């Protein structure tokens, strides 16, 4: 039995890589310094895993920016537009960063490659670009260099590469229409070249990541897998290939997956425990099975008894020699080390006994092997007992289990997810209560979070600014925002969200059942890291969270001020979620907490309330067959949060992603009175889905792109609004930007919104002209 790891976090325990990259980009440190930091992080990671007793340690899991981009460089998939940089003699590292971030210097303006979410994680990868008849050449020696580096340190290293088929399937065809899989035969020779170099350097095991094997595949994809792995096996009969699948089970591709000619197959047994049995039934005689039993996606401590059950089951069937133990996937998706959390809040003190970060997960893998093979008995048995105790305590802890919350949810009624009357009825009452213009104008919620605002918050947190002084400053900022919105003539105002650090953290900090770490950073993309809250227990709302700021803002003006909340699905999606009950249940708990907040806002005179759900779509399961179930509970959670109010209270929601077609039915089922969506970048094309579906409620299609500093003219916005009006009745339309403005500066925000109000006014005139 052997232990191995699929990948370790690489941003550095104290985000050293983030800082080094950003300093390098801004010219503060040299390239040599940056590469030095990188080397140091690698060597620390390797040493730590070796000392912990991992038998096979991943190399090339490190990346300066992204492992898929690394792969693109290794195989020379460099889009033509970057050739100009090569001609200028740019260094390989700078070319790499240019591909990730674009290049605007020396009279050149080369756009970056696209970035997208890595499966259902919050990590983003750089999407390979493929062109018809493209050729590949080995362009970077990264994996070989890092292998040599590890070997020189005496690390039992296992190079990791993204497998050729997943690499192609993760990319995007550009230009002429062709099938990227056609490129496999020209791509494979480069893989063979890399594998050969690794073998020559003495590599014994090589891990090829093929997560696509767990996804919905077409026939031709299966054929591609069979072809690629046959070629690899035929060329390197001696090289031990470990084929890694993760994020899903492989049952639906079982035949293809288990029969690929590889030495070992890795399964994500955290995501799909049930696949073990079926895979073992069908596994060819000599294949080793790698059991991903330690959760690489979440921060909970492993349940040793449960994992040992799986390990023993495998050992019995396959024999000790054909079993590997590992995390379920790369540990990239969890924070570095729980031991860093020294100055904990009181909550974390109690909660930490249930947690394990990357460093602890490595120990868990090793301990599981010791337990399974019964070595070091005495000490290891003690670890098992401590583990059982922690697992038991989690089941009954009063910190986690709040009987009031559980009772409330048990007593919940189906009506809780229903507004009192259908939209047609509400619409009339809202028109009466709100008395809005046609083409009403509003914004998505946040206004610029300036340096000053962020500084006040930092100082307040550190105790350098008293709560009173801080509140005073935020009040002034809010008042300024209200005055300015009145002046420019917006119809539904917002308070600006100046008091909020982040749209999830702000609520998590006030809800029970959440804890926050200090150093729990996880890479999101490039040098960007996020620190997700941990939902460890039953969620409840001890007191109102936003009423103070909403009513303060409303007290300043006769215009309507919109209350601003984050929805239950988004709060869930951007947190580490407890794994001792279904996600749907946790989401429902959050939904009831938000529902209470909505009622409080209503009771305090707020007539328009927005519940943001930008993460609804990214929660979609990886396999289509699981979509319906997810959408059912997600939509229902939103409805629970939104349905406690009277008909005349107007509920808005906001989503910002670009694909609505395939879930439009569910978006409609959310039954928000108004939805604002991102459409400006697609020139309103996204509205077609709403028009085709005959979406019944009101819609605010974003009329300008807040992600760009460019300010469109009011004519451009009018053009977009006319387009919108050509597919949807004017009475259904709102006028707003496509997302919150917190990342923008005040100057551009003022100008853009002024023009937006002009555009709305223009539209109103147009409508009254045609009416005459
Ligand atoms: N209300 C939030 C804001 O304006 C919405 C942010 C989002 O969609 N991600 O910032
Ligand atoms: Zn948005």
């Amino acid at each position: 039995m052997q232990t191995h790891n699929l990948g370790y976090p690489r941003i550095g325990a104290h985000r050293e890589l983030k800082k080094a990259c950003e300093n390098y980009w801004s010219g503060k440190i040299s390239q040599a310094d940056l590469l030095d930091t990188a080397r140091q992080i690698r060597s620390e990671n390797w040493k730590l895993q070796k000392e912990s007793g991992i038998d096979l340690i991943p190399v090339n899991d490190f990346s300066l920016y992204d492992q898929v981009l690394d792969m693109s460089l290794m195989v020379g998939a460099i889009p033509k537009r970057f050739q100009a940089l090569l001609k200028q003699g740019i260094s390989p590292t700078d070319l790499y960063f240019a591909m990730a971030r674009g290049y605007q210097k020396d009279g050149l303006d080369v756009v970056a490659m696209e970035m997208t979410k890595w499966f259902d994680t919050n990590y983003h990868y750089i999407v390979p670009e493929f062109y018809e008849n493209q050729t590949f050449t080995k362009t970077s020696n990264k994996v070989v260099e890092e292998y040599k580096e590890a070997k020189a340190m005496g690390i039992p290293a296992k190079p990791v590469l993204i497998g050729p088929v997943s690499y192609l399937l993760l990319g995007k065809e550009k230009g002429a229409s062709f099938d990227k899989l056609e490129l496999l035969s020209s791509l494979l020779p480069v893989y063979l070249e890399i594998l050969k170099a690794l073998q020559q350097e003495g590599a014994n095991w090589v891990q090829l990541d093929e997560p696509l094997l767990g996804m919905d595949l077409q026939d031709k994809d299966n054929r591609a897998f069979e072809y690629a792995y046959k070629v690899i096996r035929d060329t390197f009969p001696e090289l031990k290939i470990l084929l890694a699948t993760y994020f899903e089970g492989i049952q639906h591709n079982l035949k293809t997956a288990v029969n690929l000619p590889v030495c070992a197959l890795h399964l994500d047994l955290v995501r799909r425990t049930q696949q073990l049995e079926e895979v073992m039934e069908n596994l060819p005689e000599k294949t080793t099975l790698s059991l991903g039993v330690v959760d690489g996606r979440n921060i909970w401590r492993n349940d040793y008894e449960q994992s040992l059950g799986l390990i023993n089951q495998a050992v019995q069937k396959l024999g000790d020699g054909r079993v590997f133990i590992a995390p379920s996937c790369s540990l990239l998706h969890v924070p570095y080390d729980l031991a860093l959390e020294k100055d904990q809040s009181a909550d974390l003190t109690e909660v930490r006994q249930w947690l394990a970060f990357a460093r602890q997960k490595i120990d868990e893998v090793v301990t599981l092997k010791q337990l399974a093979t019964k070595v070091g008995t005495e000490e290891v048995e003690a670890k098992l007992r401590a583990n059982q105790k922690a697992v038991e305590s989690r089941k009954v802890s009063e910190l986690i289990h709040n009987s009031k919350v559980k009772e409330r949810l048990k007593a919940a009624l189906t009506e809780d997810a229903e507004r009192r009357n259908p939209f047609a009825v509400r619409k009339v009452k809202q028109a009466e209560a709100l008395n809005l213009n046609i083409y009403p104008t509003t914004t998505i919620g946040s206004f610029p979070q300036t340096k000053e605002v962020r500084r006040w918050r930092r100082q307040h947190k550190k105790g350098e600014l008293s709560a009173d002084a801080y509140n005073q400053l935020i009040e002034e900022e809010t008042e300024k925002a209200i005055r300015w919105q009145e002046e420019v003539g917006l119809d539904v105002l917002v308070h600006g969200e100046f008091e909020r650090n982040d749209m999830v953290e702000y609520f998590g900090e006030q809800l029970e059942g959440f804890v926050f770490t200090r150093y729990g950073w996880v890479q999101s993309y490039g040098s960007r890291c996020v620190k997700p809250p941990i939902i460890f227990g039953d969620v409840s709302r001890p007191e109102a969270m936003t009423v103070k700021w909403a009513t303060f803002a409303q007290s300043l003006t006769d215009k309507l001020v919109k209350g601003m909340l984050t929805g239950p699905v988004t709060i869930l999606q951007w947190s580490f979620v407890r794994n001792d009950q279904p996600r749907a249940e946790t989401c429902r708990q959050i939904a009831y907490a938000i529902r209470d907040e909505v009622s409080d806002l209503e009771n305090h005179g707020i007539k328009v309330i927005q519940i943001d759900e930008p993460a609804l779509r990214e929660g979609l399961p990886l396999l289509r067959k699981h979509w319906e179930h997810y959408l059912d509970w997600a939509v229902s959670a939103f409805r629970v949060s939104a349905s406690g109010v009277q008909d005349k209270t107007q509920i808005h929601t906001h989503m910002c992603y670009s694909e609505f077609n395939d879930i439009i039915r569910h978006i409609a089922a959310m039954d928000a009175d108004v939805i604002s969506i991102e459409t400006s970048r697609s020139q309103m094309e996204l509205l077609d889905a709403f028009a085709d579906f005959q979406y019944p409620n009101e819609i605010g299609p974003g009329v300008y792109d807040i992600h760009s500093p460019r300010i469109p003219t009011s004519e451009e916005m009018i053009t977009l609004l006319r387009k919108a009006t050509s597919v949807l009745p004017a009475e259904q339309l709102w006028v707003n930007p496509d997302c919150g403005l917190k990342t923008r500066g005040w100057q551009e925000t003022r100008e853009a919104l002024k023009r937006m109000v002009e555009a709305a006014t223009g539209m109103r005139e147009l409508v009254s002209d045609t009416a005459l």
Side-chain angles (χ1 to χ4, degrees):
M1 189 180 303
Q2 295 212 64
T3 54
H4 75 111
N5 182 24
L6 280 77
Y8 204 74
R10 58 207 181 196
I11 50 174
H14 294 284
R15 288 183 296 158
E16 291 86 348
L17 185 63
K18 171 199 177 64
K19 290 166 200 159
C21 278
E22 287 171 2
N23 283 335
Y24 175 65
W25 296 334
S26 62
K28 288 195 197 106
I29 64 168
S30 69
Q31 195 175 109
D33 289 342
L34 167 66
L35 298 181
D36 230 36
T37 303
R39 203 168 305 119
Q40 215 161 328
I41 291 173
R42 287 196 292 270
S43 93
E44 268 165 32
N45 286 356
W46 291 333
K47 265 195 271 177
L48 177 154
Q49 294 175 77
K50 186 177 176 202
E51 278 157 21
S52 307
I54 295 286
D55 297 318
L56 283 171
I57 295 168
V59 306
N60 194 43
D61 57 335
F62 177 83
S63 179
L64 280 175
Y65 201 97
D66 165 46
Q67 72 271 14
V68 182
L69 182 59
D70 291 335
M71 206 64 238
S72 290
L73 267 127
M74 273 185 260
V75 301
I78 302 165
K80 284 224 167 53
R81 61 182 182 282
F82 294 99
Q83 301 293 335
L85 300 180
L86 284 172
K87 273 191 210 122
Q88 293 210 342
I90 194 176
S91 74
T93 306
D94 288 342
L95 170 69
Y96 174 82
F97 285 137
M99 288 165 73
R101 313 174 63 235
Y103 189 90
Q104 284 86 23
K105 245 195 343 215
D106 318 323
L108 288 173
D109 185 0
V110 190
V111 284
M113 293 171 73
E114 200 181 302
M115 183 170 76
T116 197
K117 271 168 69 76
W118 179 244
F119 300 90
D120 57 353
T121 72
N122 242 328
Y123 177 78
H124 300 72
Y125 73 96
I126 304 286
V127 183
E129 290 179 20
F130 297 127
Y131 297 84
E132 200 176 15
N133 300 322
Q134 172 170 355
T135 55
F136 298 91
T137 38
K138 184 165 154 237
T139 318
S140 124
N141 219 17
K142 177 177 183 290
V143 61
V144 181
E145 293 302 329
E146 286 180 16
Y147 177 72
K148 287 187 349 202
E149 199 178 302
K151 213 175 70 172
M153 286 176 57
I155 302 296
K158 172 193 60 174
V160 179
L161 293 163
I162 295 167
V165 182
S166 290
Y167 174 68
L168 283 177
L169 292 177
L170 286 165
K172 215 168 166 179
E173 291 105 342
K174 297 276 170 167
S177 86
F178 68 102
D179 184 349
K180 55 199 175 187
L181 281 180
E182 287 163 14
L183 300 174
L184 186 57
S185 52
S186 48
L187 173 67
L188 266 182
V190 184
Y191 268 84
L192 298 178
E193 210 182 320
I194 295 170
L195 292 175
K196 187 165 171 207
L198 286 170
Q199 196 179 36
Q200 277 168 353
E201 290 300 334
N204 185 20
W205 281 96
V206 174
Q207 173 184 326
L208 293 177
D209 283 7
E210 294 283 12
L212 264 298
L213 266 178
M215 308 302 137
D216 291 315
L217 293 183
Q218 299 178 10
D219 254 4
K220 62 181 169 97
D221 305 327
N222 285 286
R223 301 293 88 76
F225 275 111
E226 286 157 9
Y227 168 69
Y229 283 84
K230 181 173 184 325
V231 171
I232 291 173
R233 181 52 167 262
D234 288 350
T235 320
F236 302 103
E238 306 289 312
L239 194 61
K240 293 185 177 151
I241 301 289
L242 183 144
L243 185 76
T245 67
Y246 42 79
F247 302 154
E248 252 309 338
I250 56 169
Q251 295 113 303
H252 49 291
N253 299 315
L254 191 72
K255 261 220 153 77
T256 305
V258 298
N259 289 313
L260 295 175
V262 294
C263 286
L265 176 64
H266 173 83
L267 302 179
D268 183 338
L269 292 179
V270 176
R271 186 55 72 85
R272 295 278 167 237
T273 315
Q274 324 85 293
Q275 65 177 323
L276 178 60
E277 192 110 5
E278 216 180 328
V279 169
M280 286 201 300
E281 280 309 319
N282 291 280
L283 199 68
E285 258 198 40
K286 290 206 176 84
T287 314
T288 292
L289 204 56
S290 162
L291 311 176
V293 286
V294 170
D295 194 348
R297 289 288 298 276
N298 213 334
I299 41 66
W300 305 107
R301 192 166 168 174
N302 191 257
D303 179 339
Y304 285 166
E305 259 183 325
Q306 201 185 325
S307 298
L308 282 171
L310 297 172
I311 296 168
N312 291 334
Q313 195 186 337
V315 168
Q316 248 166 35
K317 177 108 191 173
L318 309 174
D320 179 273
R322 282 171 68 200
V323 173
F324 280 9
I325 303 177
S328 60
C329 60
S330 167
L331 298 175
L332 178 65
H333 311 289
V334 293
Y336 256 80
D337 187 356
L338 187 59
L340 295 175
E341 305 291 333
K342 290 198 187 89
D343 47 340
Q344 332 96 356
S345 67
D347 271 354
L348 194 54
T349 318
E350 295 214 35
V351 172
R352 67 188 300 139
Q353 58 170 320
W354 300 307
L355 303 179
F357 293 176
R359 165 110 223 220
Q360 288 69 39
K361 286 173 189 288
I362 289 295
D363 287 337
E364 290 182 338
V365 169
V366 174
T367 305
L368 281 169
K369 173 178 155 182
Q370 292 168 338
L371 285 166
T373 53
K374 309 206 162 45
V375 294
T377 343
E378 195 73 11
E379 193 193 337
V380 184
E381 287 294 328
K383 283 189 192 168
L384 175 61
R385 280 193 302 275
N387 181 277
Q388 285 164 327
K389 222 175 114 197
V391 170
E392 274 317 305
S393 75
R394 204 174 150 202
K395 284 186 191 142
V396 295
S397 161
E398 278 177 30
L399 206 62
I400 294 177
H401 303 280
N402 179 332
S403 54
K404 272 209 191 116
V405 174
K406 289 196 204 303
E407 272 154 33
R408 177 178 188 193
L409 264 81
K410 222 190 265 160
L413 305 168
T414 34
E415 293 97 276
D416 292 353
E418 305 278 343
R419 293 289 294 266
R420 290 168 206 183
N421 277 295
F423 177 69
V425 176
R426 304 194 308 259
K427 190 180 162 85
V428 178
K429 297 195 187 165
Q430 287 168 21
E432 212 168 285
L434 307 178
N435 194 22
L436 287 165
N437 275 318
I438 188 162
Y439 292 110
T441 53
T442 190
T443 60
I444 307 303
S446 59
F447 275 128
Q449 286 261 333
T450 56
K451 268 203 254 44
E452 293 75 55
V453 172
R454 280 177 289 155
R455 195 186 61 233
W456 300 336
R457 186 156 39 248
R458 227 178 15 248
Q459 290 175 331
H460 172 46
K461 239 184 168 162
K462 279 197 207 146
E464 293 165 16
L465 197 64
S466 72
D468 281 350
Y470 172 72
N471 283 332
Q472 170 95 38
L473 288 164
I474 298 290
E475 274 179 17
E476 285 166 15
E477 197 71 9
T478 307
E479 174 151 17
K480 270 194 261 169
I482 294 285
R483 291 291 162 255
W484 180 79
Q485 292 174 83
E486 286 180 328
E487 217 173 281
V488 78
L490 283 152
D491 297 311
V492 176
L493 315 193
V494 295
H495 76 288
E497 302 182 21
F498 302 110
E499 78 287 9
R500 302 186 188 175
N501 33 10
D502 167 275
M503 65 184 291
V504 170
E505 197 173 348
Y506 184 74
F507 292 92
E509 276 174 348
Q510 301 185 72
L511 290 167
E512 226 125 86
F514 286 71
V515 280
F516 292 81
T517 60
R518 259 192 86 113
Y519 304 101
W521 296 102
V522 180
Q523 188 177 15
S524 169
Y525 66 89
S527 67
R528 277 289 198 109
C529 303
V530 294
K531 197 152 54 92
I534 296 171
I535 307 178
F536 70 91
D538 290 337
V539 176
S540 62
R541 188 195 69 136
E543 51 189 57
M545 303 182 282
T546 63
V547 171
K548 182 182 141 220
W549 288 110
T551 50
F552 170 71
Q554 184 65 84
S555 74
L556 301 171
T557 178
D558 292 335
K559 290 216 161 173
L560 294 164
V561 174
K562 185 159 64 164
M564 200 56 60
L565 304 172
T566 303
V569 184
T570 299
I571 292 181
L572 186 85
Q573 196 56 31
W574 291 346
S575 303
F576 283 121
V577 181
R578 59 193 287 194
N579 61 353
D580 57 346
Q581 66 181 21
R583 285 172 75 86
E585 190 62 13
T586 304
C587 195
R588 234 158 60 90
Q589 293 182 350
I590 305 169
Y592 276 93
I594 300 293
R595 178 186 177 92
D596 294 347
E597 186 71 17
V598 171
S599 294
D600 269 352
L601 284 170
E602 180 183 56
N603 293 334
H604 284 84
I606 303 296
K607 299 185 168 130
V608 182
I609 300 165
Q610 178 170 311
I611 308 171
D612 289 325
E613 285 291 19
L616 185 96
R617 190 173 206 287
E618 61 180 66
L620 277 179
L622 293 166
L623 297 179
R624 274 265 178 176
K625 64 175 181 198
H626 299 139
W627 279 25
E628 206 60 32
H629 173 65
Y630 161 76
L631 286 165
D632 274 355
W633 64 252
V635 167
S636 148
F638 176 85
R639 293 175 59 124
V640 164
S641 73
S643 295
V645 291
Q646 303 174 48
D647 289 340
K648 64 176 185 195
T649 298
Q650 188 171 65
I651 299 288
H652 289 219
T653 189
H654 165 70
M655 286 181 205
C656 41
Y657 45 71
S658 43
E659 219 6 280
F660 296 97
N661 286 289
D662 45 7
I663 60 165
I664 183 78
R665 196 161 49 84
H666 300 92
I667 292 179
M670 289 166 74
D671 198 24
D673 298 309
V674 183
I675 181 171
S676 60
I677 56 168
E678 177 189 307
T679 46
S680 53
R681 270 185 288 187
S682 70
Q683 296 294 308
M684 297 284 154
E685 267 158 36
L686 293 171
L687 267 194
D688 290 346
F690 288 80
D692 291 346
F693 181 78
Q694 299 190 314
Y695 183 81
N697 303 8
E698 294 173 29
I699 310 175
V703 294
Y704 81 89
D705 177 9
I706 65 93
H707 305 89
S708 154
R710 186 175 167 275
I711 307 170
T713 61
S714 56
E715 286 75 30
E716 282 172 69
M717 294 190 245
I718 287 191
T719 307
L720 289 179
L721 284 168
R722 293 181 78 146
K723 246 185 178 168
T725 311
S726 71
V727 294
L728 289 165
E731 302 71 52
Q732 240 177 302
L733 290 170
W734 282 66
V735 180
N736 45 257
D738 69 355
C739 195
L741 293 157
K742 66 167 167 248
T743 56
R744 300 262 61 101
W746 263 114
Q747 210 188 342
E748 54 199 276
T749 296
R750 285 203 188 94
E751 186 56 33
L753 291 179
K754 211 176 99 210
R755 295 183 192 174
M756 187 186 86
V757 172
E758 275 164 27
T761 315
M763 287 307 287
R764 285 170 200 154
E765 282 162 11
L766 269 174
V767 172
S768 61
D769 284 353
T770 42
L772 281 175

